[in-house]
DNA sequence: GACAAAATGCCGCAATAGCGGTAATAAAGA
DNA sequence: TCTTTATTACCGCTATTGCGGCATTTTGTC
């Protein structure tokens, strides 16, 4: 049951990260250390900041074992195409 | 068949966007207009830039009808929790 | 309650994302 | 082929992110 993210409900991302961080028993500083980012950006995201950089967000999600996925009607066409090859 | 995104394979995002843009028969300027962003950032993303802002990326994905998802082992616990409520 | 330790809130600054403008390149038509 | 038009590449500048530092607040122990 993955969670859809779009610009309207972006606050969910902050809630998801907060939820996972607490479940893992980590302070913001702990998570910042593990993820390799500053603590401020975790504060910002948990407070719903939408203008975070994607690589920063991915580091945090990765540290919390959360996966980001992209999907859509013609994604199959892409994965089968040559473009998808590394 | 959604595509997993992490910091290692981020170039995929650029390829996915390029693929979808071409399928839709849009120039970068067209897509920039529809998404409500500058054309430069589309150029950047398609060239693998990892330091794009998440809201900017979401605008572009939305314009191309691509969905972003977050998933993980304990995501159920979140969606069932009070935190998930709008 | 008093104190200590941990966690959170937030400020100022350096680094840089994303914008429009324009040059370079590619595509299309005569 | 030669022009015209569309698309892509990239530069310089301004606005903004994300950082460490520090004040504040919360949590835990006696």
């Amino acid at each position: 049951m993955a969670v859809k993210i779009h610009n309207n409900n972006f606050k969910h991302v902050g809630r998801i990260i907060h939820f996972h961080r607490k479940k893992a028993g980590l302070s913001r500083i702990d998570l910042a250390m593990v993820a390799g980012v500053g603590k401020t950006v975790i504060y910002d995201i948990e407070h719903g900041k939408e203008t975070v950089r994607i690589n920063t967000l991915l580091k945090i999600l990765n540290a919390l074992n959360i996966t980001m996925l992209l999907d859509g009607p013609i994604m199959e066409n892409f994965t089968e195409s040559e473009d998808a090859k590394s």
Side-chain angles (χ1 to χ4, degrees), chain A:
Chain A
M1 251 264 288
V3 179
K4 278 189 195 177
I5 305 301
H6 33 295
N7 270 315
N8 300 338
N9 75 342
F10 194 81
K11 284 180 183 298
H12 276 306
V13 177
R15 294 202 189 95
I16 289 169
I17 287 174
H18 181 83
F19 181 85
H20 280 72
R21 177 170 70 80
K22 286 301 184 186
K23 281 282 183 197
L26 298 171
S27 71
R28 286 189 189 145
I29 294 176
D30 294 336
L31 178 55
M33 293 281 296
V34 174
V37 301
K39 56 195 156 56
T40 309
V41 75
I42 294 174
Y43 169 83
D44 288 339
I45 293 175
E46 290 192 359
H47 281 255
K49 186 179 192 179
E50 299 181 19
T51 54
V52 181
R53 294 176 202 172
I54 181 72
N55 63 330
T56 302
L57 179 59
L58 283 171
K59 285 183 203 168
I60 296 167
L61 294 177
N62 186 54
L64 292 171
N65 200 25
I66 301 171
T67 305
M68 178 179 288
L69 301 163
L70 295 186
D71 201 5
I74 63 168
M75 196 63 74
E76 318 277 333
N77 301 13
F78 170 76
T79 52
E80 290 163 7
S81 75
E82 279 306 307
D83 303 327
K85 306 293 189 310
S86 171

PDB file of all heavy atoms in Angstrom, chain A residues 6-29:
ATOM      1  N   HIS A   6       1.840  13.974  -4.449  1.00  0.00           N
ATOM      2  CA  HIS A   6       1.791  15.051  -5.438  1.00  0.00           C
ATOM      3  C   HIS A   6       1.853  16.381  -4.712  1.00  0.00           C
ATOM      4  O   HIS A   6       1.928  16.427  -3.484  1.00  0.00           O
ATOM      5  CB  HIS A   6       0.579  14.943  -6.364  1.00  0.00           C
ATOM      6  CG  HIS A   6      -0.645  14.380  -5.733  1.00  0.00           C
ATOM      7  ND1 HIS A   6      -0.720  13.092  -5.281  1.00  0.00           N
ATOM      8  CD2 HIS A   6      -1.846  14.934  -5.478  1.00  0.00           C
ATOM      9  CE1 HIS A   6      -1.926  12.879  -4.780  1.00  0.00           C
ATOM     10  NE2 HIS A   6      -2.622  13.978  -4.869  1.00  0.00           N
ATOM     11  N   ASN A   7       1.842  17.456  -5.487  1.00  0.00           N
ATOM     12  CA  ASN A   7       2.120  18.761  -4.876  1.00  0.00           C
ATOM     13  C   ASN A   7       1.069  19.160  -3.837  1.00  0.00           C
ATOM     14  O   ASN A   7       1.375  19.922  -2.923  1.00  0.00           O
ATOM     15  CB  ASN A   7       2.232  19.845  -5.958  1.00  0.00           C
ATOM     16  CG  ASN A   7       3.663  19.986  -6.459  1.00  0.00           C
ATOM     17  OD1 ASN A   7       4.586  20.009  -5.658  1.00  0.00           O
ATOM     18  ND2 ASN A   7       3.844  20.057  -7.749  1.00  0.00           N
ATOM     19  N   ASN A   8      -0.132  18.629  -3.979  1.00  0.00           N
ATOM     20  CA  ASN A   8      -1.176  18.992  -3.026  1.00  0.00           C
ATOM     21  C   ASN A   8      -0.923  18.392  -1.647  1.00  0.00           C
ATOM     22  O   ASN A   8      -1.024  19.076  -0.636  1.00  0.00           O
ATOM     23  CB  ASN A   8      -2.541  18.498  -3.527  1.00  0.00           C
ATOM     24  CG  ASN A   8      -2.882  19.104  -4.873  1.00  0.00           C
ATOM     25  OD1 ASN A   8      -2.349  20.148  -5.227  1.00  0.00           O
ATOM     26  ND2 ASN A   8      -3.738  18.450  -5.618  1.00  0.00           N
ATOM     27  N   ASN A   9      -0.624  17.106  -1.622  1.00  0.00           N
ATOM     28  CA  ASN A   9      -0.519  16.403  -0.343  1.00  0.00           C
ATOM     29  C   ASN A   9       0.926  16.211   0.101  1.00  0.00           C
ATOM     30  O   ASN A   9       1.257  15.231   0.760  1.00  0.00           O
ATOM     31  CB  ASN A   9      -1.220  15.049  -0.443  1.00  0.00           C
ATOM     32  CG  ASN A   9      -0.405  14.042  -1.235  1.00  0.00           C
ATOM     33  OD1 ASN A   9       0.498  14.411  -1.980  1.00  0.00           O
ATOM     34  ND2 ASN A   9      -0.695  12.779  -1.064  1.00  0.00           N
ATOM     35  N   PHE A  10       1.763  17.157  -0.252  1.00  0.00           N
ATOM     36  CA  PHE A  10       3.178  16.958   0.048  1.00  0.00           C
ATOM     37  C   PHE A  10       3.473  16.869   1.542  1.00  0.00           C
ATOM     38  O   PHE A  10       4.469  16.282   1.961  1.00  0.00           O
ATOM     39  CB  PHE A  10       4.037  18.059  -0.579  1.00  0.00           C
ATOM     40  CG  PHE A  10       5.491  17.724  -0.580  1.00  0.00           C
ATOM     41  CD1 PHE A  10       6.013  16.892  -1.547  1.00  0.00           C
ATOM     42  CD2 PHE A  10       6.323  18.210   0.406  1.00  0.00           C
ATOM     43  CE1 PHE A  10       7.350  16.551  -1.534  1.00  0.00           C
ATOM     44  CE2 PHE A  10       7.664  17.881   0.422  1.00  0.00           C
ATOM     45  CZ  PHE A  10       8.178  17.052  -0.557  1.00  0.00           C
ATOM     46  N   LYS A  11       2.594  17.430   2.333  1.00  0.00           N
ATOM     47  CA  LYS A  11       2.807  17.365   3.781  1.00  0.00           C
ATOM     48  C   LYS A  11       2.889  15.920   4.269  1.00  0.00           C
ATOM     49  O   LYS A  11       3.488  15.642   5.312  1.00  0.00           O
ATOM     50  CB  LYS A  11       1.687  18.106   4.517  1.00  0.00           C
ATOM     51  CG  LYS A  11       1.838  19.621   4.447  1.00  0.00           C
ATOM     52  CD  LYS A  11       0.694  20.308   5.204  1.00  0.00           C
ATOM     53  CE  LYS A  11       0.799  21.829   5.070  1.00  0.00           C
ATOM     54  NZ  LYS A  11       2.028  22.386   5.644  1.00  0.00           N
ATOM     55  N   HIS A  12       2.294  15.009   3.508  1.00  0.00           N
ATOM     56  CA  HIS A  12       2.380  13.593   3.863  1.00  0.00           C
ATOM     57  C   HIS A  12       3.825  13.134   3.980  1.00  0.00           C
ATOM     58  O   HIS A  12       4.153  12.311   4.833  1.00  0.00           O
ATOM     59  CB  HIS A  12       1.662  12.737   2.821  1.00  0.00           C
ATOM     60  CG  HIS A  12       0.196  12.627   3.057  1.00  0.00           C
ATOM     61  ND1 HIS A  12      -0.329  12.203   4.260  1.00  0.00           N
ATOM     62  CD2 HIS A  12      -0.864  12.879   2.260  1.00  0.00           C
ATOM     63  CE1 HIS A  12      -1.652  12.207   4.177  1.00  0.00           C
ATOM     64  NE2 HIS A  12      -2.002  12.624   2.989  1.00  0.00           N
ATOM     65  N   VAL A  13       4.664  13.630   3.111  1.00  0.00           N
ATOM     66  CA  VAL A  13       6.065  13.210   3.133  1.00  0.00           C
ATOM     67  C   VAL A  13       6.682  13.520   4.486  1.00  0.00           C
ATOM     68  O   VAL A  13       7.363  12.680   5.082  1.00  0.00           O
ATOM     69  CB  VAL A  13       6.862  13.901   2.003  1.00  0.00           C
ATOM     70  CG1 VAL A  13       8.332  13.518   2.079  1.00  0.00           C
ATOM     71  CG2 VAL A  13       6.292  13.534   0.652  1.00  0.00           C
ATOM     72  N   GLY A  14       6.411  14.704   4.975  1.00  0.00           N
ATOM     73  CA  GLY A  14       6.904  15.072   6.297  1.00  0.00           C
ATOM     74  C   GLY A  14       6.365  14.165   7.375  1.00  0.00           C
ATOM     75  O   GLY A  14       7.099  13.729   8.266  1.00  0.00           O
ATOM     76  N   ARG A  15       5.081  13.834   7.265  1.00  0.00           N
ATOM     77  CA  ARG A  15       4.474  12.957   8.268  1.00  0.00           C
ATOM     78  C   ARG A  15       5.053  11.559   8.186  1.00  0.00           C
ATOM     79  O   ARG A  15       5.293  10.909   9.207  1.00  0.00           O
ATOM     80  CB  ARG A  15       2.954  12.894   8.045  1.00  0.00           C
ATOM     81  CG  ARG A  15       2.254  14.219   8.298  1.00  0.00           C
ATOM     82  CD  ARG A  15       0.780  14.003   8.583  1.00  0.00           C
ATOM     83  NE  ARG A  15       0.071  15.284   8.618  1.00  0.00           N
ATOM     84  CZ  ARG A  15      -0.560  15.807   7.570  1.00  0.00           C
ATOM     85  NH1 ARG A  15      -0.553  15.171   6.409  1.00  0.00           N
ATOM     86  NH2 ARG A  15      -1.181  16.956   7.683  1.00  0.00           N
ATOM     87  N   ILE A  16       5.265  11.088   6.965  1.00  0.00           N
ATOM     88  CA  ILE A  16       5.829   9.745   6.776  1.00  0.00           C
ATOM     89  C   ILE A  16       7.220   9.675   7.379  1.00  0.00           C
ATOM     90  O   ILE A  16       7.564   8.732   8.093  1.00  0.00           O
ATOM     91  CB  ILE A  16       5.868   9.392   5.269  1.00  0.00           C
ATOM     92  CG1 ILE A  16       4.439   9.159   4.757  1.00  0.00           C
ATOM     93  CG2 ILE A  16       6.730   8.168   5.023  1.00  0.00           C
ATOM     94  CD1 ILE A  16       4.326   9.065   3.249  1.00  0.00           C
ATOM     95  N   ILE A  17       8.022  10.695   7.107  1.00  0.00           N
ATOM     96  CA  ILE A  17       9.386  10.697   7.628  1.00  0.00           C
ATOM     97  C   ILE A  17       9.377  10.780   9.148  1.00  0.00           C
ATOM     98  O   ILE A  17      10.113  10.053   9.825  1.00  0.00           O
ATOM     99  CB  ILE A  17      10.186  11.852   6.991  1.00  0.00           C
ATOM    100  CG1 ILE A  17      10.505  11.493   5.535  1.00  0.00           C
ATOM    101  CG2 ILE A  17      11.464  12.126   7.782  1.00  0.00           C
ATOM    102  CD1 ILE A  17      11.167  12.592   4.758  1.00  0.00           C
ATOM    103  N   HIS A  18       8.533  11.644   9.683  1.00  0.00           N
ATOM    104  CA  HIS A  18       8.430  11.759  11.137  1.00  0.00           C
ATOM    105  C   HIS A  18       8.028  10.427  11.764  1.00  0.00           C
ATOM    106  O   HIS A  18       8.645   9.969  12.734  1.00  0.00           O
ATOM    107  CB  HIS A  18       7.408  12.835  11.508  1.00  0.00           C
ATOM    108  CG  HIS A  18       7.251  13.052  12.975  1.00  0.00           C
ATOM    109  ND1 HIS A  18       8.100  13.858  13.706  1.00  0.00           N
ATOM    110  CD2 HIS A  18       6.365  12.540  13.877  1.00  0.00           C
ATOM    111  CE1 HIS A  18       7.743  13.848  14.977  1.00  0.00           C
ATOM    112  NE2 HIS A  18       6.682  13.063  15.111  1.00  0.00           N
ATOM    113  N   PHE A  19       7.036   9.801  11.163  1.00  0.00           N
ATOM    114  CA  PHE A  19       6.538   8.520  11.665  1.00  0.00           C
ATOM    115  C   PHE A  19       7.640   7.468  11.664  1.00  0.00           C
ATOM    116  O   PHE A  19       7.882   6.788  12.664  1.00  0.00           O
ATOM    117  CB  PHE A  19       5.361   8.065  10.800  1.00  0.00           C
ATOM    118  CG  PHE A  19       4.734   6.770  11.230  1.00  0.00           C
ATOM    119  CD1 PHE A  19       3.766   6.753  12.214  1.00  0.00           C
ATOM    120  CD2 PHE A  19       5.121   5.574  10.640  1.00  0.00           C
ATOM    121  CE1 PHE A  19       3.177   5.560  12.604  1.00  0.00           C
ATOM    122  CE2 PHE A  19       4.541   4.372  11.037  1.00  0.00           C
ATOM    123  CZ  PHE A  19       3.571   4.371  12.014  1.00  0.00           C
ATOM    124  N   HIS A  20       8.319   7.346  10.558  1.00  0.00           N
ATOM    125  CA  HIS A  20       9.384   6.346  10.439  1.00  0.00           C
ATOM    126  C   HIS A  20      10.550   6.656  11.371  1.00  0.00           C
ATOM    127  O   HIS A  20      11.154   5.753  11.965  1.00  0.00           O
ATOM    128  CB  HIS A  20       9.865   6.262   8.997  1.00  0.00           C
ATOM    129  CG  HIS A  20       8.982   5.442   8.111  1.00  0.00           C
ATOM    130  ND1 HIS A  20       7.743   5.867   7.701  1.00  0.00           N
ATOM    131  CD2 HIS A  20       9.138   4.207   7.572  1.00  0.00           C
ATOM    132  CE1 HIS A  20       7.181   4.927   6.928  1.00  0.00           C
ATOM    133  NE2 HIS A  20       8.016   3.923   6.835  1.00  0.00           N
ATOM    134  N   ARG A  21      10.882   7.929  11.486  1.00  0.00           N
ATOM    135  CA  ARG A  21      11.993   8.306  12.369  1.00  0.00           C
ATOM    136  C   ARG A  21      11.685   7.917  13.805  1.00  0.00           C
ATOM    137  O   ARG A  21      12.540   7.341  14.502  1.00  0.00           O
ATOM    138  CB  ARG A  21      12.239   9.814  12.275  1.00  0.00           C
ATOM    139  CG  ARG A  21      13.321  10.316  13.199  1.00  0.00           C
ATOM    140  CD  ARG A  21      13.698  11.749  12.896  1.00  0.00           C
ATOM    141  NE  ARG A  21      12.672  12.723  13.231  1.00  0.00           N
ATOM    142  CZ  ARG A  21      12.444  13.186  14.467  1.00  0.00           C
ATOM    143  NH1 ARG A  21      13.174  12.752  15.476  1.00  0.00           N
ATOM    144  NH2 ARG A  21      11.505  14.085  14.678  1.00  0.00           N
ATOM    145  N   LYS A  22      10.482   8.203  14.241  1.00  0.00           N
ATOM    146  CA  LYS A  22      10.098   7.868  15.613  1.00  0.00           C
ATOM    147  C   LYS A  22      10.074   6.358  15.820  1.00  0.00           C
ATOM    148  O   LYS A  22      10.562   5.853  16.847  1.00  0.00           O
ATOM    149  CB  LYS A  22       8.726   8.476  15.944  1.00  0.00           C
ATOM    150  CG  LYS A  22       8.785   9.987  16.170  1.00  0.00           C
ATOM    151  CD  LYS A  22       9.742  10.315  17.308  1.00  0.00           C
ATOM    152  CE  LYS A  22       9.767  11.801  17.642  1.00  0.00           C
ATOM    153  NZ  LYS A  22      10.823  12.106  18.661  1.00  0.00           N
ATOM    154  N   LYS A  23       9.525   5.643  14.877  1.00  0.00           N
ATOM    155  CA  LYS A  23       9.508   4.171  14.941  1.00  0.00           C
ATOM    156  C   LYS A  23      10.921   3.614  15.084  1.00  0.00           C
ATOM    157  O   LYS A  23      11.154   2.620  15.765  1.00  0.00           O
ATOM    158  CB  LYS A  23       8.861   3.582  13.687  1.00  0.00           C
ATOM    159  CG  LYS A  23       7.355   3.614  13.683  1.00  0.00           C
ATOM    160  CD  LYS A  23       6.762   2.506  14.560  1.00  0.00           C
ATOM    161  CE  LYS A  23       5.233   2.527  14.470  1.00  0.00           C
ATOM    162  NZ  LYS A  23       4.601   1.768  15.575  1.00  0.00           N
ATOM    163  N   ALA A  24      11.860   4.269  14.420  1.00  0.00           N
ATOM    164  CA  ALA A  24      13.258   3.810  14.471  1.00  0.00           C
ATOM    165  C   ALA A  24      13.968   4.310  15.722  1.00  0.00           C
ATOM    166  O   ALA A  24      15.123   3.952  15.973  1.00  0.00           O
ATOM    167  CB  ALA A  24      14.001   4.276  13.224  1.00  0.00           C
ATOM    168  N   GLY A  25      13.284   5.132  16.497  1.00  0.00           N
ATOM    169  CA  GLY A  25      13.884   5.636  17.740  1.00  0.00           C
ATOM    170  C   GLY A  25      15.043   6.586  17.507  1.00  0.00           C
ATOM    171  O   GLY A  25      15.998   6.634  18.273  1.00  0.00           O
ATOM    172  N   LEU A  26      14.930   7.379  16.443  1.00  0.00           N
ATOM    173  CA  LEU A  26      16.019   8.299  16.099  1.00  0.00           C
ATOM    174  C   LEU A  26      15.619   9.749  16.384  1.00  0.00           C
ATOM    175  O   LEU A  26      14.475  10.138  16.158  1.00  0.00           O
ATOM    176  CB  LEU A  26      16.360   8.172  14.622  1.00  0.00           C
ATOM    177  CG  LEU A  26      16.865   6.815  14.126  1.00  0.00           C
ATOM    178  CD1 LEU A  26      16.941   6.804  12.603  1.00  0.00           C
ATOM    179  CD2 LEU A  26      18.229   6.506  14.724  1.00  0.00           C
ATOM    180  N   SER A  27      16.581  10.519  16.885  1.00  0.00           N
ATOM    181  CA  SER A  27      16.389  11.963  16.949  1.00  0.00           C
ATOM    182  C   SER A  27      16.685  12.533  15.558  1.00  0.00           C
ATOM    183  O   SER A  27      17.201  11.834  14.684  1.00  0.00           O
ATOM    184  CB  SER A  27      17.319  12.583  17.975  1.00  0.00           C
ATOM    185  OG  SER A  27      18.644  12.550  17.513  1.00  0.00           O
ATOM    186  N   ARG A  28      16.371  13.800  15.369  1.00  0.00           N
ATOM    187  CA  ARG A  28      16.661  14.404  14.068  1.00  0.00           C
ATOM    188  C   ARG A  28      18.151  14.400  13.786  1.00  0.00           C
ATOM    189  O   ARG A  28      18.576  14.202  12.652  1.00  0.00           O
ATOM    190  CB  ARG A  28      16.139  15.841  14.048  1.00  0.00           C
ATOM    191  CG  ARG A  28      14.648  15.876  13.948  1.00  0.00           C
ATOM    192  CD  ARG A  28      14.151  17.279  13.705  1.00  0.00           C
ATOM    193  NE  ARG A  28      12.702  17.298  13.819  1.00  0.00           N
ATOM    194  CZ  ARG A  28      12.002  18.309  14.313  1.00  0.00           C
ATOM    195  NH1 ARG A  28      12.621  19.384  14.743  1.00  0.00           N
ATOM    196  NH2 ARG A  28      10.704  18.234  14.371  1.00  0.00           N
ATOM    197  N   ILE A  29      18.930  14.629  14.842  1.00  0.00           N
ATOM    198  CA  ILE A  29      20.383  14.622  14.664  1.00  0.00           C
ATOM    199  C   ILE A  29      20.862  13.232  14.280  1.00  0.00           C
ATOM    200  O   ILE A  29      21.702  13.075  13.394  1.00  0.00           O
ATOM    201  CB  ILE A  29      21.077  15.112  15.952  1.00  0.00           C
ATOM    202  CG1 ILE A  29      20.730  16.586  16.186  1.00  0.00           C
ATOM    203  CG2 ILE A  29      22.581  14.923  15.854  1.00  0.00           C
ATOM    204  CD1 ILE A  29      21.288  17.152  17.475  1.00  0.00           C
TER     205      ILE A  29
END
